[in-house]
Amino acid sequence: MTYDSGGTLVVLKSLLARARQGHRTLKYPAGPPVELPARFRGLPVLDETKCPDDCEACVGSCPTGAIAQTEGLSLDLGRCLLCTECTRACPTGAIELTRDARLAVRRREHLRLRSNAELERAHALEGELLQLFGRSLKLRQVSAGGCNACEADCNVLGTIVWDMGRFGIQFVASPRHADGLLITGPVTENMRLALEKTYAALPDPKLVIAVGACAISGGPFLESDAQHGGADSTVPVDLYVPGCPPHPLTILDGLLRLLGRVEG
């Protein structure tokens, strides 16, 4: 291949720019993750000892009904949009949103947070599944009625900074080439059959990952008759990644925990 003087100059400028930028892929999990901005909204922390008697300000403020005060203060992280309405409504700071992005869990019930209780974060696949998928995981992404926010943050994982391919995790075009599904969206009526057929096309054994509040519970659309309240209404789910949308770090952390690359 040959270049004229102008083409050569463009190539040289590109090489110099890459040299100045240096290594841009984040070190996580071998090192700390990217520094999250001060306004980042992560894991909620509840302290019912700060709740005034008969105060349900946070309950009434939640747009998805994620908060309850029956038998103590609780929050369903699978419904939570991390919108800060509850923290602004609470007069005593009984609910706070931390900057902890590690939100993924293996079981739906683990997303129901209690006062001063720790989140039971996702653990690795068991036995043969970990041997099969621990070093190579191919996923078919299905948008089951999503708004494209979760889908966009999943796409970010393929960029140079996140580069999930270095862990053997890749999105593929066909379910017949995939080890599992990564589902976004609340599973609308118009997408339910497509999701069932895509799941059936996966070879056994297979995994399902629900990403975002919509895919876990229906999110802001949970009261709509046009949707089915999340992925586990239609297919079995192995990993839940909450958020609206989840930060790319939250998604990557969940995937790595599933593959036994991150613990604690």
Side-chain angles (χ1 to χ4, degrees):
M1 182 179 295
T2 60
Y3 297 93
D4 57 25
S5 59
T8 303
L9 184 59
V10 169
V11 172
L12 288 175
K13 285 184 176 180
S14 298
L15 293 174
L16 287 172
R18 288 298 301 274
R20 284 194 297 267
Q21 292 170 2
H23 185 75
R24 301 186 67 184
T25 304
L26 59 82
K27 297 180 180 180
Y28 189 78
V34 292
E35 184 175 350
L36 298 172
R39 64 181 181 177
F40 176 79
R41 302 185 296 238
L43 179 66
V45 174
L46 286 61
D47 185 355
E48 65 183 23
T49 63
K50 296 182 179 180
C51 291
D53 293 337
D54 301 323
C55 175
E56 293 191 350
C58 59
V59 176
S61 70
C62 183
T64 59
I67 305 172
Q69 281 193 321
T70 55
E71 300 180 358
L73 184 64
S74 65
L75 184 148
D76 185 350
L77 190 54
R79 288 188 174 199
C80 181
L81 307 181
L82 302 175
C83 66
T84 73
E85 290 295 322
C86 59
T87 60
R88 286 183 288 196
C90 179
T92 60
I95 302 178
E96 296 182 1
L97 298 183
T98 70
R99 295 174 66 190
D100 190 346
R102 302 168 299 165
L103 307 179
V105 303
R106 290 292 306 277
R107 301 178 65 175
R108 178 67 178 88
E109 57 265 31
H110 292 165
L111 291 173
R112 294 183 177 93
L113 304 179
R114 293 282 180 180
S115 178
N116 295 313
E118 292 188 6
L119 178 70
E120 189 169 341
R121 296 186 176 90
H123 57 269
L125 292 166
E126 296 81 11
E128 183 181 359
L129 288 178
L130 184 59
Q131 291 181 349
L132 285 172
F133 304 136
R135 297 180 65 84
S136 177
L137 181 65
K138 313 302 180 187
L139 299 171
R140 175 68 168 95
Q141 200 276 322
V142 176
S143 178
C147 70
N148 206 40
C150 293
E151 293 84 348
D153 276 353
C154 289
N155 288 341
V156 167
L157 296 177
T159 63
I160 190 172
V161 174
W162 301 94
D163 189 19
M164 68 178 182
R166 62 199 162 113
F167 303 107
I169 308 171
Q170 294 177 328
F171 290 126
V172 295
S174 170
R176 299 193 183 279
H177 300 159
D179 303 310
L181 296 183
L182 188 149
I183 302 171
T184 55
V187 187
T188 59
E189 177 60 28
N190 289 339
M191 279 299 298
R192 189 174 196 181
L193 180 59
L195 178 58
E196 290 174 343
K197 289 185 174 181
T198 305
Y199 179 77
L202 289 167
D204 291 322
K206 47 196 172 188
L207 304 173
V208 174
I209 299 162
V211 171
C214 287
I216 295 173
S217 66
F221 311 105
L222 57 88
E223 295 183 357
S224 171
D225 293 335
Q227 57 87 38
H228 292 278
D232 58 9
S233 66
T234 306
V235 295
V237 175
D238 300 282
L239 181 70
Y240 297 88
V241 185
C244 186
H247 192 278
L249 178 61
T250 302
I251 304 171
L252 181 62
D253 177 75
L255 293 172
L256 295 180
R257 287 177 186 277
L258 190 67
L259 302 182
R261 305 290 187 90
V262 174
E263 297 179 357

